[in-house]
Amino acid sequence: MPKRVFDSARASWFLLGAVMMCLIAFNGYLAVSSVKELSSTQTSLTNTGDIITKLNNLHLSLLSAESGQRGYLLTDDELYLEPYQEALLQVRAQVADVKTIQSEMPEQQLRINEIVRLSEAKIAELTETVELARQNKEALALKLLRTDRGQNIYMELRALFDVVGQTEKSNREDLFLRLSKGRKDALLNFILSGVMSSVLVVLMLFLSFINVRKERKYLDVLEMQNENLAIKVEERTQELRLYSEELSRSNRELEDFAFVASHDLQEPLRKIQAFGDRLESSFSQDLGEKGLDYLKRMRNAANRMSLLISDLLDFSRINTRGRDFADTDLNEVVNDALDDLEIAMQESGAQVNTSTLPVIQADNSQLHQLFLNLLSNAIKFRKPDTAPVISITVAIHEPNIMQQAICDNWYHIEFKDNGIGFAEEYAEKIFTPFQRLHGRSEYKGTGIGLAVCRRIVERHRGLIYASGEPGTGSTFTLVLPADATPFGSKGD
C-alpha cells in the first residue's frame, strides 16, 4: 500500500514537473520571439531614420554647393569659392555614406542608387563649370549653366528625395505602430506567463501539502511495521544464536565421535590385518589355493576399509582442523607435491609443465593435499601406453560482485592432462564422495579424493570445476583469491 502511494506521488510530481518544464519552454519561446520582434522593429526604425537623415544632409549639401557655384559664376568673386569647395567636399563624403545604405524595401534601394548616380553627375557638372570659370572661360561656363543641364539633374534629384523621404516616413510610421503593438503583445505575454506560473506554484504547494500528509500517514504505518519487524528480527536472531550454539556443540560432538569411531574401527581392522598376515605366514600350505584366495580378499577388504576410514576422517576435519592462512608460494606447493609423486612419475614417465605461480594467503598443508590429489589423479587416470603430460597454467581472474567482497585479486589456475578424460555429464558428479566412474580393479582409490579437493577449495572461498572429453583428457580449474580468510572464520 505505501509503495503504491509513493508511486502515485512520484507520478504526480513527475507530471507537474513536465507541465512546468513545458510552460517554462513556452514562456521562453514567447519571450525570445517578443524580444526578436521588438529588436527587429527597433533596428528597422533606426535604419529608416538613418536613411532620411543621410538623404536630407546630402540634399542640403548639394544646394549649398550649387549656391556657391552660381555665386562664383555670376560675381567672379573668389569669396564664393571657399563655401563652394567645403560644400563640395561634404557632398562627396555624403555620397560615399549614402552608398552604404541598405534599405529593407527593394524599390527604395533602386531609388537610392539612382540618387547616388545623379549626385555624382551633379558633382561633375558643378566641377566642370567652376573649372571653366577659373580658367577665364566665363562665357563658356555661363553657356553651360544656361543649358539647364544642372537644373534638370537637380530637379530629378529633388523628386527622388521627395519620393524616398515620403516612403521612408510612411514606413517609419508603420514601424512605430508595429513597435507599439509588439510592446503591448510582449506585456500581455509576460502577464499571462506570470499568471500561469502563479497558478502552477499554488498547485505545486497544494500537491506538496497533500503528499506530505499522505507520506506522514504511511511513514507512521511503516515505523510501526519496522518496530514489529525489529522485534521479530531480534526473536529470530536469538533463535539463530541458540541454533548456532547447538550446531557448534553438535560439531564438536561429531568431531569427537569421528575420532573415537576411527580409532575404534581402526583397531579391529589392524587385528584383522595382523591375524591375516599370521595365517598367511603360518598356515598358507594348510589353507590351500581356495583358502588363500579368501584370505587375500579379506586382507584387501580390510586395507580398503582402513583407507576409507582415514579418508573420511580427513574429509570431516578439513574445516575443523585446518591451519590459519599465511603467505603460501604455490610454486613450492607444486614442487613438494611432485617430490611426493616422484616414484609414480618415474614409473609412468609423466611430464609436468608448470608456469610461474603466485603467492597467496592459504593453508599450506591443505593446498599441498589439493595439488597432490589433482596431480596423482592425472597420473593415475592415464591412457595405456601413453606417458601423462600435465600442464599447470595461471591467469588473472576477473571477480564478480560477490568475489570482490572477499578480495580484489583472484587467480585462475588450470590442471590439464592428456589422460582418459570423462563425459561432460559427470563433470559435477565426480566431486561427490564415493562417486567412481571406473571399477576398483581398473583404478584404485576410495572415490573421495575430489570431494576432499572441493572442501579444501571451498574453505579457501574459491571454486573448483572440471571439464573433459573421453579419450582426450581432463581439465580441472581452480579459482582462488589472493588474500582471504578461511571460510567459517567470520561466522559464515
Side-chain angles (χ1 to χ4, degrees), residues 73-115:
L73 291 178
L74 293 174
T75 63
D76 197 22
D77 189 348
E78 293 287 337
L79 291 175
Y80 286 97
L81 280 178
E82 185 175 350
Y84 159 76
Q85 290 173 345
E86 290 179 0
L88 193 62
L89 288 174
Q90 289 180 356
V91 168
R92 285 180 174 143
Q94 288 163 356
V95 168
D97 201 14
V98 170
K99 286 182 178 180
T100 62
I101 292 175
Q102 295 293 329
S103 177
E104 296 176 0
M105 296 177 286
E107 66 276 6
Q108 282 290 84
Q109 188 64 50
L110 294 175
R111 294 187 188 109
I112 292 171
N113 294 338
E114 183 63 16
I115 287 174

Side-chain angles (χ1 to χ4, degrees), residues 50-156:
D50 191 41
I51 292 173
I52 292 172
T53 301
K54 288 181 178 180
L55 292 179
N56 285 339
N57 289 338
L58 177 58
H59 191 186
L60 292 174
S61 296
L62 283 171
L63 288 175
S64 179
E66 189 173 40
S67 297
Q69 175 218 32
R70 289 179 181 275
Y72 176 68
L73 291 178
L74 293 174
T75 63
D76 197 22
D77 189 348
E78 293 287 337
L79 291 175
Y80 286 97
L81 280 178
E82 185 175 350
Y84 159 76
Q85 290 173 345
E86 290 179 0
L88 193 62
L89 288 174
Q90 289 180 356
V91 168
R92 285 180 174 143
Q94 288 163 356
V95 168
D97 201 14
V98 170
K99 286 182 178 180
T100 62
I101 292 175
Q102 295 293 329
S103 177
E104 296 176 0
M105 296 177 286
E107 66 276 6
Q108 282 290 84
Q109 188 64 50
L110 294 175
R111 294 187 188 109
I112 292 171
N113 294 338
E114 183 63 16
I115 287 174
V116 170
R117 187 187 68 78
L118 291 173
S119 297
E120 290 176 343
K122 184 64 178 175
I123 291 171
E125 185 268 333
L126 292 172
T127 304
E128 183 181 4
T129 55
V130 171
E131 287 299 320
L132 288 173
R134 295 185 70 181
Q135 293 173 9
N136 297 321
K137 298 179 181 178
E138 291 84 355
L140 183 57
L142 290 172
K143 183 179 179 181
L144 286 173
L145 186 61
R146 292 190 187 98
T147 60
D148 293 333
R149 187 184 67 173
Q151 185 68 20
N152 292 334
I153 293 174
Y154 173 71
M155 294 302 293
E156 290 183 38

Side-chain angles (χ1 to χ4, degrees), residues 290-302:
K290 194 171 184 179
L292 288 174
D293 181 58
Y294 289 159
L295 180 62
K296 181 179 179 182
R297 293 185 183 186
M298 179 189 71
R299 293 177 64 195
N300 288 339

Side-chain angles (χ1 to χ4, degrees), residues 24 29 83 112 118 137 151 166 188-189 228 310 379 394 403 429 433 436 450 458 465 467 469 490-491:
I24 291 171
Y29 171 76
I112 292 171
L118 291 173
K137 298 179 181 178
Q151 185 68 20
Q166 290 298 325
L188 180 61
N189 289 336
N228 294 333
S310 177
I379 294 173
V394 64
Q403 290 171 338
K429 293 180 180 179
R436 297 178 57 89
L450 289 178
E458 288 175 349
Y465 53 90
S467 61
E469 185 177 344
K490 296 183 179 179

Side-chain angles (χ1 to χ4, degrees), residues 282-492:
S282 301
F283 302 99
S284 59
Q285 294 179 352
D286 298 332
L287 292 174
E289 184 177 348
K290 194 171 184 179
L292 288 174
D293 181 58
Y294 289 159
L295 180 62
K296 181 179 179 182
R297 293 185 183 186
M298 179 189 71
R299 293 177 64 195
N300 288 339
N303 288 332
R304 287 199 306 274
M305 187 65 179
S306 177
L307 182 60
L308 182 59
I309 292 171
S310 177
D311 287 346
L312 280 173
L313 190 60
D314 291 340
F315 181 76
S316 66
R317 288 178 172 178
I318 288 174
N319 288 333
T320 58
R321 294 294 180 89
R323 300 176 183 174
D324 292 336
F325 285 6
D327 288 342
T328 302
D329 188 344
L330 298 185
N331 298 291
E332 294 180 2
V333 174
V334 170
N335 291 333
D336 291 343
L338 292 177
D339 287 342
D340 292 345
L341 296 170
E342 182 178 3
I343 296 176
M345 291 178 62
Q346 290 177 353
E347 291 177 351
S348 62
Q351 176 184 347
V352 179
N353 302 316
T354 308
S355 58
T356 302
L357 301 177
V359 176
I360 65 172
Q361 288 289 308
D363 183 334
N364 188 293
S365 63
Q366 287 189 347
L367 285 192
H368 176 268
Q369 185 179 3
L370 169 66
F371 282 30
L372 183 65
N373 285 354
L374 294 176
L375 288 169
S376 64
N377 278 354
I379 294 173
K380 179 167 63 173
F381 295 103
R382 63 182 182 273
K383 291 182 288 188
D385 303 325
T386 300
V389 177
I390 307 165
S391 299
I392 305 176
T393 58
V394 64
I396 300 297
H397 173 73
E398 291 295 331
N400 56 34
I401 296 177
M402 294 182 64
Q403 290 171 338
Q404 286 177 349
I406 298 173
C407 89
D408 293 329
N409 300 322
W410 288 68
Y411 295 102
H412 183 276
I413 303 172
E414 283 189 354
F415 287 73
K416 188 173 184 179
D417 62 58
N418 63 339
I420 61 175
F422 58 87
E424 283 296 323
E425 59 188 279
Y426 299 110
E428 183 62 26
K429 293 180 180 179
I430 58 176
F431 293 102
T432 304
F434 310 116
Q435 179 68 49
R436 297 178 57 89
L437 303 184
H438 309 278
R440 281 190 288 268
S441 60
E442 294 181 84
Y443 300 98
K444 296 180 179 180
T446 61
I448 204 171
L450 289 178
V452 170
C453 291
R454 169 165 282 183
R455 288 288 295 274
I456 291 173
V457 172
E458 288 175 349
R459 181 172 182 257
H460 287 75
R461 299 179 182 270
L463 298 172
I464 182 171
Y465 53 90
S467 61
E469 185 177 344
T472 301
S474 307
T475 300
F476 287 84
T477 302
L478 307 177
V479 178
L480 295 173
D483 185 10
T485 55
F487 184 83
S489 62
K490 296 183 179 179
D492 306 82

